Amino acid sequence: MIRAASLALIAGFVAVPLRAEVSPTAQTAQAIALCWNTGGLSQAAQARAVTVGFQVDYENRPLPESVMLIGLSDPVADEAFAAARRAILRCSAEGLPLSHDFGSGPIEIVFDPGTGPQ
Amino acid sequence: MRRLRHIFSAAMVAATVGLPLTVTPAEARLSITLGSPVIEPMPFALPSFADEGGAGGLAADIASVITSDLQGTGMFERIPESAYIQRLPSFDAAVSYPDWQAINAQALITGAVQAGGGQVAVKFCLHDVFANGTMGECMQFAGDQASWRRVAHKVADAVYSRITGESGYFDSRVVFVAESGPKNQRQKRLAVMDYDGANVSYLTDSSSIVLAPRFSPTGDRILFTSYSTGFPQIYLMDVASLKIRGLGETPGTMTFAPRFSPDGSRVVFSLERGGNSDIYVLDIGSGNLTQLTDAPSIETAPSFSPDGSQIVFESDRSGGQQLYVMSASGGEPRRISGGAGRYGTPVWSPRGDYIAFTKQNQGRFHIGVMLSDGTEEKLLTSSYLDEGPTWAPNGRVIMFTRQPPGEGNPELWTVDTTGRVLRPVKNGTASSDPAWSPLLP
């Protein structure tokens, strides 16, 4: 602690803690989770889990027309899906941190309010 | 009707044969599960409504009421107009969705107002900005210009309903007791207002004390208790004509705490005879009176379940004031409240799930809700004196009376069923005992 502070003072920089490397999957999850807002939904929709699939372009930006609900549609699921779609489109405009290692298939995200912090 | 909207072949097969929906790793490039959504107001944009003739300041007034309705729920937050990138010169102007996405507007409400000849018409579109299209058809509401606030509430109800999937509650009214004068010589009148406190008007004069007004399920009649004869007696008022008549008048008795049955044909209330109060039901058409409880304790504040099959009420039969549920035809009640303190004024939610109540415990008053079997009790408020809950037509918001300590006047407040959105209703008068109407036609 003292050493880090001293180094920071000497070098004129602020010491920052080292962090474990975050995987592209976790970065993608974190990015989209920040935009997943269910505050405008009905209470039923706030509790509904939905699975959403989408494709990305060559810059890993989701293609808006490809974002679709996987599974049966009903009014509550549609509402939950709308919030999930907004989360995907809002928080990935700069492209998701995906690697080609993941292949070229669709991306699938389960938005499940009942599963707690990820 | 359930629709099948879907794409990916594996999931489609799974859905159609009723199997769990899974996509194999070979098909999905990446599969992620998220579990903690943000719960905060949804940002929306509402540019000034276009004036299509004669609207003048009315266009801004209507937009202001719509904004107030939506923001008042705590579920939506309007993005300031200064942040808007696109200017929409007319109602028919093409919407540039990227401009609204850029300011993080998740919904966009565009509209236009036309007024003249004593009429006002408002047309509007609700846009899902990130879906690049409208949510449902664009609509128009029209009415008397004097009722422009109602037209605005109708628009807000439609927006709320389309986004949340639940019915709204903005185009509704509240009947309450308006109070004036010193506390030891209080004058109480029946009054009615818009749900948001606007347009207060008085239904009775202050010649006698009135209590506990209740709207009929269709909003055309009001039950209340009056001391006009010197002791409490229930009355029925026709809202259109303001004509009043007594109900269930029986010599030597006092009647109070009335509520309509869900079909509006009967009234359940308390009748006191010889110092003992029990619950009765009166058929308004025939005048037939049926006793539902027969106990030496005080039974009062009855409220029907929305399907009309059960009644919740308060009773001190166990020594303290608690909540009980019984069949609407009477019979042995079961106690549903079990926590410390005293419970009273139960009201069944129009959805049928929750019962709202007043709780007094350790010198504090609370408005709370519990499921109809008494489980999942949740206290939504806490103050010196909160009491008398009434449900919004959609069962998501509760209005109640808050009395501050000392010489302060009672006020009406609302709280949502999460307890997060608590706010006063500004109606400009000392107020108590609210009762929410159904949504207006």
Side-chain angles (χ1 to χ4, degrees):
Chain A
M1 186 70 166
I2 293 171
R3 182 178 171 81
S6 299
L7 284 173
L9 286 173
I10 293 166
F13 295 112
V14 176
V16 292
L18 293 174
R19 290 180 181 168
E21 189 176 337
V22 180
S23 71
T25 303
Q27 287 180 41
T28 299
Q30 286 171 3
I32 294 174
L34 287 174
C35 288
W36 181 26
N37 177 16
T38 60
L41 305 186
S42 67
Q43 288 164 329
Q46 283 181 345
R48 174 65 74 89
V50 290
T51 302
V52 179
F54 59 94
Q55 303 273 5
V56 294
D57 65 12
Y58 65 94
E59 290 182 318
N60 287 333
R61 292 178 303 204
L63 297 165
E65 63 276 14
S66 75
V67 182
M68 292 191 184
L69 173 68
I70 300 178
L72 290 172
S73 167
D74 61 46
V76 175
D78 287 352
E79 224 188 299
F81 165 67
R85 181 185 57 208
R86 284 193 290 269
I88 292 166
L89 296 178
R90 277 175 59 207
C91 272
S92 53
E94 304 301 319
L96 295 170
L98 300 173
S99 157
H100 289 296
D101 297 343
F102 289 111
S104 58
I107 294 165
E108 180 186 279
I109 300 181
V110 180
F111 293 83
D112 184 355
T115 57
Q118 297 297 300
Chain B
M1 180 178 159
R2 304 183 96 190
R3 308 182 309 277
L4 192 65
R5 174 211 282 171
H6 181 52
I7 43 166
F8 304 137
S9 57
M12 167 102 66
V13 171
T16 51
V17 298
L19 296 173
L21 294 173
T22 56
V23 177
T24 65
E27 292 173 308
R29 178 181 181 183
L30 179 62
S31 186
I32 299 170
T33 297
L34 301 180
S36 289
V38 176
I39 298 180
E40 58 188 25
M42 173 194 277
F44 71 97
L46 195 158
S48 300
F49 279 11
D51 181 352
E52 294 195 336
L58 203 51
D61 291 342
I62 287 171
S64 174
V65 169
I66 295 168
T67 299
S68 177
D69 284 348
L70 295 174
Q71 292 195 151
T73 65
M75 298 167 68
F76 307 97
E77 183 70 39
R78 185 186 186 191
I79 298 169
E81 203 152 3
S82 57
Y84 300 171
I85 298 168
Q86 185 185 22
R87 301 293 155 183
L88 293 165
S90 70
F91 180 70
D92 298 321
V95 172
S96 172
Y97 290 107
D99 287 349
W100 301 101
Q101 291 167 6
I103 62 167
N104 190 28
Q106 296 180 29
L108 166 68
I109 304 165
T110 57
V113 181
Q114 188 173 35
Q119 297 285 302
V120 62
V122 180
K123 56 184 179 183
F124 75 98
C125 291
L126 174 62
H127 304 262
D128 184 338
V129 171
F130 285 89
N132 295 328
T134 59
M135 296 176 71
E137 298 287 317
C138 299
M139 295 178 71
Q140 175 170 302
F141 290 106
D144 293 339
Q145 191 162 336
S147 302
W148 66 268
R149 295 187 91 262
R150 278 204 62 197
V151 176
H153 289 318
K154 290 276 189 203
V155 173
D157 276 327
V159 170
Y160 178 95
S161 177
R162 285 185 184 182
I163 294 177
T164 68
E166 299 174 337
S167 64
Y169 58 91
F170 310 123
D171 187 26
S172 61
R173 308 212 80 198
V174 173
V175 62
F176 63 100
V177 174
E179 303 188 15
S180 58
K183 283 200 169 178
N184 60 355
Q185 206 175 353
R186 208 64 162 163
Q187 295 183 326
K188 298 190 175 190
R189 300 192 272 173
L190 289 189
V192 68
M193 63 182 188
D194 294 355
Y195 95 98
D196 57 2
N199 289 329
V200 172
S201 61
Y202 297 96
L203 304 176
T204 62
D205 60 27
S206 52
S207 59
S208 57
I209 289 177
V210 290
L211 299 171
R214 307 286 179 241
F215 268 113
S216 67
T218 48
D220 57 346
R221 293 167 295 163
I222 292 171
L223 286 166
F224 64 100
T225 303
S226 170
Y227 280 75
S228 59
T229 59
F231 55 87
Q233 175 74 42
I234 60 174
Y235 292 85
L236 180 65
M237 172 187 286
D238 179 82
V239 174
S241 66
L242 300 186
K243 286 184 178 171
I244 294 170
R245 69 179 172 100
L247 281 183
E249 294 165 313
T250 307
T253 68
M254 294 188 284
T255 54
F256 51 95
R259 273 188 200 278
F260 282 99
S261 61
D263 66 1
S265 69
R266 292 167 294 154
V267 175
V268 64
F269 61 98
S270 282
L271 185 148
E272 190 270 354
R273 192 195 311 261
N276 182 44
S277 298
D278 273 303
I279 292 173
Y280 288 71
V281 66
L282 173 77
D283 185 287
I284 298 174
S286 67
N288 287 337
L289 189 63
T290 305
Q291 185 171 355
L292 299 181
T293 63
D294 186 6
S297 46
I298 296 173
E299 340 290 326
T300 189
S303 170
F304 275 98
S305 60
D307 66 1
S309 67
Q310 299 177 87
I311 291 170
V312 61
F313 63 98
E314 66 177 65
S315 169
D316 61 358
R317 61 181 59 199
S318 63
Q321 194 176 310
Q322 297 290 337
L323 304 184
Y324 293 80
V325 169
M326 67 177 173
S327 164
S329 56
E332 190 60 29
R334 67 181 190 281
R335 179 172 156 177
I336 60 166
S337 57
R342 296 195 297 170
Y343 295 78
T345 65
V347 196
W348 220 302
S349 156
R351 297 183 183 198
D353 48 1
Y354 284 113
I355 290 170
F357 56 84
T358 303
K359 180 173 182 174
Q360 184 185 7
N361 189 32
Q362 296 183 332
R364 300 286 288 176
F365 279 79
H366 311 271
I367 299 298
V369 293
M370 62 173 68
L371 293 179
S372 58
D373 63 2
T375 60
E376 296 191 25
E377 177 180 322
K378 185 166 55 174
L379 300 182
L380 306 175
T381 73
S382 177
S383 91
Y384 172 75
L385 178 53
D386 286 348
E387 62 179 350
T390 179
W391 288 95
N394 70 351
R396 183 148 183 158
V397 179
I398 293 167
M399 192 178 289
F400 60 96
T401 305
R402 172 165 284 185
Q403 172 74 57
E407 293 301 307
N409 282 320
E411 299 175 326
L412 303 182
W413 284 65
T414 57
V415 65
D416 73 342
T417 51
T418 68
R420 286 196 295 264
V421 186
L422 173 69
R423 61 187 67 210
V425 180
K426 303 290 188 186
N427 65 356
T429 183
S431 310
S432 60
D433 235 341
W436 220 310
S437 80
L439 265 185
L440 298 175

